[in-house]
Amino acid sequence: MSLQKRYGPWALVLGASEGTGREFARQLAAEGIPSILIARREAPLEQLKAEIAQEYGVACINATIDLAHGDALERIVAVVDDREVGLLICNAGGDPNGKLFLDVPLSAWLDLIQRNVMTTMAVCHHFAGPMRTRGQGGILLLNSGACYGGAATMGPYSGSKAFMLGFAEGLWADLQPHGVDVLTLVLGRTDTPEFRRFLAEKGMDMPEDVWSAEAVARLGLERLPHGPIQNVGQADDQSGMSPQSAAERRARVVAVSKVTAELYGTGH
């Protein structure tokens, strides 16, 4: 089944202004799927929308929304209006702080949690419902290798990504019987403008083992039907980022879901 038939007629891309979000929108447009482009900065969104229209003849729409604000879902829903979203891509969710927990005001960490956890969960809850009713759709959650464990300067960030990992596994188990695909794409080092800014700030050179944003987006769309996890740079049965491979974690989710189905009578 083509991407357009499986995940159309519209995609909703959060964090679409640059990097992997931008690449997802471009690759979807190449398949004839227009996107609703959401990010904080208007100029990059306008530029991306114009490029997509010129190169692919696909008309996207865009809106500037801060996903760290409590009204983000309400504003996204208003922009989407009555358009049918067949694919939700949550690409926003980095760590703009990069400092020790106590060296940053609490408000900054609360913004991170609002963006990475609360808004992500809210948009999934809103848009997954119609997908389940239609028996078709996809949800792609961009993650980080930080989901597998914390480290200095990464406490709240890794905690938010660990939430995404467990949430994606559970959401996949919930929706897979209804024909809705869910994948959390776990990234390592990726060549994005944000990563380049970080390297420049630290006076570091670009590492050799870096994936391009284009390759990451292509992999995510290819692996979306094979959730709930894809570790970028690793085969399905290969461990490395964590002691368990994606295949082993999938088997665990299936096994535990059978137990919970019996406990709660969900019928899975």
Side-chain angles (χ1 to χ4, degrees):
M1 188 183 297
S2 69
L3 283 177
Q4 187 178 43
K5 190 170 184 180
R6 187 163 191 161
Y7 301 122
W10 283 88
L12 172 60
V13 184
L14 307 185
S17 60
E18 63 180 30
T20 51
R22 174 184 173 85
E23 280 300 323
F24 275 117
R26 289 179 58 83
Q27 292 183 28
L28 289 169
E31 297 292 331
I33 301 176
S35 294
I36 303 159
L37 309 168
I38 305 294
R40 287 178 298 173
R41 296 178 295 149
E42 182 177 9
L45 292 181
E46 288 288 348
Q47 181 180 358
L48 176 59
K49 182 174 70 172
E51 288 179 6
I52 287 176
Q54 182 177 4
E55 294 181 31
Y56 304 108
V58 172
C60 296
I61 65 171
N62 63 277
T64 54
I65 297 174
D66 190 340
L67 302 178
H69 288 179
D71 66 347
L73 174 63
E74 181 180 349
R75 295 186 60 193
I76 291 169
V77 170
V79 172
V80 172
D81 198 19
D82 61 353
R83 296 173 181 86
E84 183 179 306
V85 173
L87 177 59
L88 169 63
I89 299 178
C90 294
N91 178 75
D95 179 7
N97 303 310
K99 296 181 180 179
L100 297 172
F101 177 64
L102 294 179
D103 292 345
V104 176
L106 178 61
S107 59
W109 295 127
L110 293 177
D111 284 348
L112 183 149
I113 297 302
Q114 178 68 40
R115 179 177 58 252
N116 293 10
V117 176
M118 305 303 288
T119 299
T120 296
M121 184 167 59
V123 294
C124 286
H125 190 273
H126 181 86
F127 291 102
M131 293 181 191
R132 183 175 68 171
T133 299
R134 295 192 299 269
Q136 187 172 308
I139 298 174
L140 208 165
L141 307 178
L142 272 289
N143 211 329
S144 162
C147 69
Y148 291 123
T153 74
M154 294 177 60
Y157 176 68
S158 61
S160 71
K161 294 304 181 180
F163 167 83
M164 178 177 284
L165 176 64
F167 175 62
E169 289 178 328
L171 192 60
W172 175 82
D174 284 352
L175 296 178
Q176 193 251 353
H178 302 280
V180 180
D181 300 327
V182 178
L183 178 74
T184 185
L185 185 63
V186 183
L187 277 61
R189 291 185 289 194
T190 307
D191 186 359
T192 65
E194 182 178 0
F195 187 50
R196 287 181 175 267
R197 287 191 291 267
F198 172 81
L199 293 176
E201 180 182 330
K202 302 298 182 182
M204 301 168 61
D205 295 328
M206 178 67 71
E208 294 183 359
D209 59 337
V210 174
W211 275 57
S212 69
E214 180 182 0
V216 166
R218 184 181 306 110
L219 177 66
L221 294 175
E222 289 175 354
R223 294 299 300 173
L224 180 53
H226 309 287
I229 302 168
Q230 172 65 48
N231 294 314
V232 173
Q234 295 178 1
D236 191 56
D237 60 353
Q238 180 183 5
S239 61
M241 283 193 182
S242 74
Q244 289 180 308
S245 68
E248 289 170 330
R249 291 192 68 97
R250 183 184 304 110
R252 174 203 162 274
V253 174
V254 171
V256 174
S257 296
K258 290 180 180 178
V259 175
T260 57
E262 295 175 358
L263 288 174
Y264 300 113
T266 59
H268 280 29

